[in-house]
Amino acid sequence: MLGANGFHVVLTSRTATQIEAAAEAIRAAGGDASAVAGDIADEAFVARLFDTVRERFGRLDVLVDN
């Protein structure tokens, strides 16, 4: 689990409840996670998401597309 290994996990999905539940599970297990609802088919959302990650964390180390 990335969160348990010191990564800050940023989850995204169109459904906020699902990703918030997943983020909470990561936090409950001792990890660090944020949930951001949005549609990755929307180029503007993806650009804002990457900008937010860079602003908050300085860089993106790993991207998992599932």
Side-chain angles (χ1 to χ4, degrees):
M1 173 168 100
L2 293 172
N5 288 308
F7 285 82
H8 181 93
V9 178
V10 178
L11 305 165
T12 189
S13 174
R14 289 180 297 194
T15 309
T17 26
Q18 289 178 334
I19 57 171
E20 187 52 53
E24 180 54 39
I26 292 169
R27 291 189 293 267
D32 190 11
S34 299
V36 181
D39 185 353
I40 62 167
D42 177 358
E43 287 184 42
F45 168 74
V46 173
R48 286 190 311 273
L49 178 63
F50 276 80
D51 288 344
T52 299
V53 168
R54 279 191 295 271
E55 288 169 11
R56 290 179 68 191
F57 308 111
R59 66 183 192 273
L60 176 69
D61 291 323
V62 176
L63 173 67
V64 178
D65 181 19
N66 182 11

